[in-house]
Amino acid sequence: MNLDTDAARVNASVTLPVSRDAGAVTDIEPVDHAAPAHADASARTEAPPVSLGTQAAGQSSPHESARAHVAGSATYVDDIREARGTLHAAPILSSVAHGRLLGVDYAAALAMPGVRDVVLAVDIPGDGRFGNFAHDEPVFATGTVQHVGQVIGLVVADTVMQARRAARQVVCRIEALPAILTTQQAMQAHSQVLPPVFVRRGDAAAALKSAPHRLQGTLEVGGQEHFYLEGQVAYVLPQEQNQWLVYSSTQHPGEVQHWVAHALGIANHAVRVECRRMGGGFGGKETQAGHLGVWAAVAANKLQCPVKLRLDRDDDFLITGKRHPFSYDYQAGFDDSGRLRGLKLNMMVNCGFSADLSGPVADRAIFHVDNAYFLQDVEIASYRCKTHTQSHTAFRGFGGPQGMLITETILGDIARQLGLDPLDVRRRNLYSDDLLDAPVRAEAAALDRAEPVPAPRRNLTHYGMQVEGNILAPLLARLEATANYRQRREAIARWNQTSPVIRRGIAITPVKFGISFTATLFNQAGALVHVYLDGSVQVNHGGTEMGQGLHTKVAQIVADAFGVPLDAVLSTASDTSKIPNAAATAASAGTDLNASAAQVAARAVRGNLAQFVAGLDGCGVGAVRFAGGAVSSPSATRSFAEVIKLAYANRIQLWSDGFYRTPKIHYDKTTLTGRPFYYFAYGAACSEVAIDRLTGESRVLKVDILHDVGCSINPAIDIGQIEGGFIQGMGWLTTEQLVWNERGELTTHAPSTYKIPATGDVPGHFRVDLWPEPNPEETVFRSKAVGEPPLMLAISVFEALRDAIASATPANQPVKLTAPATPENVLRALGLNGFRD
């Protein structure tokens, strides 16, 4: 499975091989159970077939670059033909986690063949710090270094390999200082990149005190490397009159533009950034791509020639940030049915050495601590810890996975302590329209700022947003039935009673994920639509394509606006000279924002054409129809191309811009209350696993997913996103372990030591179904976002692993499993040898 372009599925059944990895659990098959009526023997997911109808949206059309991907003709930044005189840069890296930078000796590097120059902080013509909101990260290290792999400067040479070899000959004199490498050390030293944040509702202390049962514990969750197939790269070319063209593999061309202008000390309009496509992003190219753009631009400015900077995989690992590792400690109170009564939670976020996006990541973790569950009396503390590691950054889910995981862990342990089915405990805690169990406290009432609620119900989040369009209960009920959860759970219990080595587990976990940027200002988008004289259409928007199918979906929406075939519409490269100040393609909002803006633009042109045709044919504008490549009125039918030529001859405008801003959202950053999200996307997954009690190895045997995408614009692409997101989440929680040693060196910095899931890790039974209801909010095509929510469905794998471990550990006790659930961590959770005395 190509995790970088997991949306780029073409119209065929998805064929996923049964895992045949070596190991003690290799040949274990799922427990036999009665198959649901819709499942075949192997339960493959099938992409819906292509419709022969005229509507483009709602059909499983191929990804707009699918043929080019397969043929190898899709152009990425490193494939762009290099201009004459292009030089290549390579980074000079710190080998010390924390220390005083006393000097840089680059004489040996300059003497090497092909080397043209060395670029250091003194060569920056503008601001020596990146243009991010915290303004706390130097372009090149000066005075101090703050992590192994921090960039001190660049070597520029004629070829890539000459630059890389020379960079390794640069000697940096660094006096080592004590390094903070863990959140525990950071908390003791009061080391933070941003102040802590506290959110409270009700009286958690009183609720804990009065609860019939209590549970307390800790959890450690590791980070995750983005491992995009295309590494970080930027290519900067000087233009006339101190203008600059930047080709960047970036999710946020506008930010690269602003950062480059900031570093060069010039106006934004003098920098143009273009991105046709990325070979994967996953959040790792939201801010981090800006670093590459700035470094290459500073070098190009000094040498006054084009400069390309492409990191090799090892350097990419060492330089760029990861998903934020989290540490937690908690106290939970609950009743005999497993319903939470009170929760006190501390989240320690490992942010690395600078703020980057750690503030909003940590905030979103707070927003998603509830996941699908009502928290009546809750107290959350979020500490943004500074450590001497890479500055951690955005990653698919953006803090949401870390917020959800802790609550799912708590609910799983509550079920074990009470001897209840974990699914029943989860159901007991779901958001609903039921009345509160007790009179609402004043603090909870104050959170509802829209209008008073006479009878307080279990549908208000801990940040004051009402949960609307809630389909959690029926969605879980349907998945429970179609996955045959109850029968399989009984069969697994029988298996575990007779199997001394291989133990199995099963879990269903839900997802409720908020869609919108929590920074309200980013919830806007622009687009341009041009119609040419032959009837072909070009659309440009502020979003970026990273394999997720955004350009395809936008083209489908525009095609339907004009009633033309999809192949009549071309989506072009993201370009800051066309759409200025665009938000990052992130927060799962790419289609919601950019397709909506493109639709506005297309409808404006269509309105011009309809008014023109109505005048020609003497009818009302509303009587003019666009469908099947033709434009019809009550008296005439003409081809779309014919109407375009007639309109041009009559000087009718055939292009337009479009603008969209997300409605209804508001958010108070100081209190973390309001309505930060336009709507919620829902889903659930049922996962079955097996573990080996001797080796700690594990295997995912079977996965059934039911996910809510509203009215899908492209079902094949959406299913690809769900599959890819789930597998990526599974990797985060099982195999992808980041290890820093006592010197702060990342020791897992290559595929040999850092293990992303491979095809053999995909379960033999992997079924995805789409929830068949439209989005109740007025999104484009009534669709829902699909980029991030599926990743959190993989929490079901972690909970299934804990269920399997519980069968081999003392009853009614919490399962202390560190994520990722590597064989070592599974063995530790089992008590090292995995056997009871």
Side-chain angles (χ1 to χ4, degrees):
M1 178 174 291
N2 182 345
L3 293 182
D4 287 277
T5 55
D6 50 38
R9 300 207 181 278
V10 191
N11 311 296
S13 297
V14 179
T15 302
L16 300 173
V18 176
S19 176
R20 293 294 180 219
D21 285 352
V25 300
T26 298
D27 298 320
I28 299 301
E29 296 300 327
V31 172
D32 291 335
H33 62 278
H38 66 250
D40 60 19
S42 56
R44 309 300 185 203
T45 299
E46 293 188 0
V50 176
S51 169
L52 298 179
T54 58
Q55 187 179 42
Q59 309 306 321
S60 290
S61 302
H63 188 287
E64 51 89 20
S65 294
R67 292 182 181 276
H69 287 150
V70 173
S73 60
T75 301
Y76 296 86
V77 172
D78 203 35
D79 300 320
I80 296 170
R81 187 180 298 275
E82 293 174 2
R84 182 180 299 176
T86 295
L87 300 179
H88 298 266
I92 301 165
L93 305 182
S94 169
S95 59
V96 175
H98 185 210
R100 295 187 182 90
L101 180 59
L102 304 178
V104 180
D105 184 354
Y106 48 82
L110 285 176
M112 295 181 70
V115 174
R116 297 298 187 94
D117 210 339
V118 170
V119 180
L120 300 170
V122 69
D123 299 309
I124 302 168
D127 195 331
R129 294 184 178 271
F130 289 114
N132 55 19
F133 80 96
H135 203 238
D136 63 344
E137 187 174 352
V139 173
F140 296 122
T142 57
T144 62
V145 293
Q146 299 195 70
H147 74 91
V148 174
Q150 185 172 3
V151 176
I152 295 171
L154 305 172
V155 171
V156 184
D158 292 335
T159 70
V160 174
M161 295 313 298
Q162 286 173 337
R164 290 177 179 173
R165 293 189 190 103
R168 285 159 174 75
Q169 298 305 310
V170 175
V171 177
C172 299
R173 291 184 290 110
I174 302 172
E175 177 187 335
L177 297 171
I180 295 171
L181 301 175
T182 67
T183 54
Q184 291 79 7
Q185 293 170 352
M187 291 295 288
Q188 291 173 0
H190 303 287
S191 177
Q192 57 189 24
V193 296
L194 294 166
V197 171
F198 304 95
V199 173
R200 301 176 180 89
R201 174 164 69 175
D203 189 337
L208 286 169
K209 186 176 180 179
S210 63
H213 305 278
R214 292 183 65 175
L215 177 71
Q216 62 182 29
T218 62
L219 178 66
E220 295 286 332
V221 177
Q224 187 177 20
E225 164 64 30
H226 300 87
F227 219 108
Y228 21 64
L229 289 185
E230 176 203 29
Q232 298 277 3
V233 58
Y235 183 27
V236 179
L237 295 91
Q239 308 292 290
E240 64 170 72
Q241 301 181 66
N242 200 27
Q243 296 173 45
W244 301 86
L245 172 60
V246 181
Y247 293 105
S248 175
S249 180
T250 177
Q251 294 173 238
H252 199 175
E255 185 165 74
V256 176
Q257 176 196 37
H258 300 161
W259 283 21
V260 168
H262 189 72
L264 297 183
I266 58 179
N268 290 341
H269 68 209
V271 179
R272 175 185 160 214
V273 178
E274 180 179 310
C275 177
R276 172 59 183 90
R277 61 173 60 84
M278 290 164 273
F282 310 123
K285 295 177 180 177
E286 185 172 346
T287 60
Q288 307 280 294
H291 299 71
L292 277 287
V294 169
W295 292 331
V298 171
N301 180 72
K302 181 177 182 181
L303 281 82
Q304 288 298 302
C305 67
V307 172
K308 182 190 289 186
L309 173 56
R310 175 171 58 82
L311 300 181
D312 70 15
R313 185 64 67 178
D314 292 274
D315 285 350
D316 204 321
F317 263 85
L318 293 176
I319 293 169
T320 61
K322 323 299 177 193
R323 184 187 297 281
H324 290 68
F326 271 54
S327 303
Y328 316 80
D329 64 66
Y330 60 86
Q331 299 177 61
F334 49 97
D335 64 19
D336 292 343
S337 69
R339 177 168 282 182
L340 280 167
R341 295 300 184 187
L343 175 64
K344 293 184 73 170
L345 173 64
N346 293 322
M347 297 193 290
M348 285 69 72
V349 186
N350 186 336
C351 301
F353 82 97
S354 69
D356 194 82
L357 291 171
S358 295
V361 166
D363 288 350
R364 188 174 274 264
I366 293 173
F367 288 135
H368 286 84
V369 159
D370 60 340
N371 189 15
Y373 312 111
F374 178 74
L375 306 177
Q376 181 169 333
D377 292 277
V378 61
E379 183 177 315
I380 303 168
S382 172
Y383 299 93
R384 292 90 196 274
C385 301
K386 177 176 179 176
T387 59
H388 293 112
T389 64
Q390 295 86 346
S391 185
H392 298 308
T393 191
F395 200 124
R396 196 177 197 169
F398 203 77
Q402 297 96 315
M404 293 181 187
L405 183 65
I406 183 61
T407 302
E408 294 295 346
T409 300
I410 292 169
L411 292 179
D413 283 338
I414 287 174
R416 275 180 280 277
Q417 183 169 322
L418 296 173
L420 300 175
D421 188 309
L423 179 57
D424 293 334
V425 171
R426 291 185 165 92
R427 271 211 177 97
R428 181 72 174 141
N429 285 282
L430 288 177
Y431 279 106
S432 70
D433 290 328
D434 296 343
L435 295 174
L436 290 179
D437 296 333
V440 68
R441 293 177 170 83
E443 294 90 340
L447 286 175
D448 184 14
R449 298 176 179 230
E451 60 183 41
V453 178
R457 299 179 184 274
R458 295 175 55 83
N459 61 3
L460 194 68
T461 68
H462 55 292
Y463 49 88
M465 178 174 172
Q466 186 170 337
V467 178
E468 300 171 338
N470 182 358
I471 58 172
L472 286 165
L475 188 148
L476 280 171
R478 182 175 299 185
L479 181 62
E480 177 189 354
T482 57
N484 285 315
Y485 169 78
R486 301 290 177 179
Q487 300 94 314
R488 291 166 63 188
R489 190 162 188 83
E490 292 174 0
I492 287 169
R494 292 193 297 270
W495 168 280
N496 288 339
Q497 287 175 355
T498 60
S499 176
V501 176
I502 304 300
R503 292 297 177 93
R504 291 171 172 167
I506 189 170
I508 290 181
T509 59
V511 166
K512 174 186 69 66
F513 191 79
I515 304 300
S516 291
F517 288 95
T518 54
T520 305
L521 76 163
F522 293 134
N523 293 288
Q524 58 177 299
L528 293 173
V529 170
H530 299 165
V531 181
Y532 295 93
L533 289 178
D534 61 353
S536 63
V537 182
Q538 185 184 96
V539 57
N540 187 272
H541 58 88
T544 54
E545 176 63 50
M546 60 197 89
Q548 86 280 35
L550 174 60
H551 283 352
T552 307
K553 288 185 174 182
V554 171
Q556 288 176 276
I557 294 299
V558 171
D560 282 348
F562 291 119
V564 298
L566 180 58
D567 60 11
V569 182
L570 176 67
S571 295
T572 58
S574 308
D575 188 333
T576 57
S577 69
K578 293 183 177 180
I579 306 298
N581 312 316
T585 305
S588 300
T591 299
D592 284 359
L593 294 172
N594 295 286
S596 295
Q599 187 178 62
V600 170
R603 286 176 172 176
V605 177
R606 187 185 68 186
N608 294 343
L609 295 172
Q611 189 172 17
F612 169 66
V613 171
L616 285 178
D617 295 348
C619 65
V621 172
V624 179
R625 296 285 182 265
F626 294 75
V631 182
S632 302
S633 73
S635 60
T637 297
R638 305 174 181 87
S639 71
F640 183 74
E642 181 184 356
V643 169
I644 296 303
K645 290 176 182 176
L646 288 171
Y648 178 76
N650 284 272
R651 296 180 295 174
I652 303 300
Q653 183 175 331
L654 298 176
W655 63 271
S656 184
D657 63 310
F659 180 79
Y660 175 81
R661 54 182 287 177
T662 307
K664 296 187 177 181
I665 53 176
H666 57 90
Y667 162 52
D668 185 337
K669 289 177 60 176
T670 60
T671 61
L672 263 70
T673 60
R675 179 175 177 160
F677 307 120
Y678 186 24
Y679 62 87
F680 294 106
Y682 300 95
C686 178
S687 293
E688 183 180 330
V689 303
I691 62 169
D692 187 315
R693 296 170 69 188
L694 296 176
T695 66
E697 293 174 282
S698 66
R699 178 178 165 197
V700 180
L701 303 175
K702 186 169 183 176
V703 173
D704 292 274
I705 292 171
L706 180 56
H707 197 69
D708 166 34
V709 298
C711 291
S712 176
I713 296 173
N714 190 310
I717 283 176
D718 286 348
I719 289 171
Q721 283 288 289
I722 294 166
E723 291 171 341
F726 181 90
I727 296 298
Q728 190 171 54
M730 186 180 82
W732 168 52
L733 293 171
T734 58
T735 62
E736 298 186 42
Q737 185 174 34
L738 294 163
V739 179
W740 285 268
N741 65 20
E742 66 280 359
R743 295 184 297 277
E745 299 165 339
L746 180 62
T747 61
T748 51
H749 54 79
S752 58
T753 51
Y754 185 82
K755 298 298 185 181
I756 65 172
T759 54
D761 299 306
V762 177
H765 174 113
F766 192 13
R767 185 173 188 89
V768 176
D769 289 318
L770 302 181
W771 182 257
E773 293 183 14
N775 190 343
E777 296 293 350
E778 295 183 3
T779 54
V780 62
F781 201 66
R782 294 285 184 164
S783 64
K784 283 192 175 184
V786 71
E788 292 172 296
L791 184 137
M792 285 143 281
L793 296 170
I795 295 174
S796 61
V797 171
F798 190 72
E799 284 301 287
L801 288 168
R802 297 204 315 137
D803 185 58
I805 292 167
S807 73
T809 54
N812 306 117
Q813 295 297 312
V815 173
K816 298 182 179 179
L817 177 62
T818 296
T822 60
E824 296 88 344
N825 286 336
V826 169
L827 284 178
R828 291 188 185 100
L830 285 165
L832 296 183
N833 64 6
F835 287 89
R836 297 174 183 164
D837 295 333

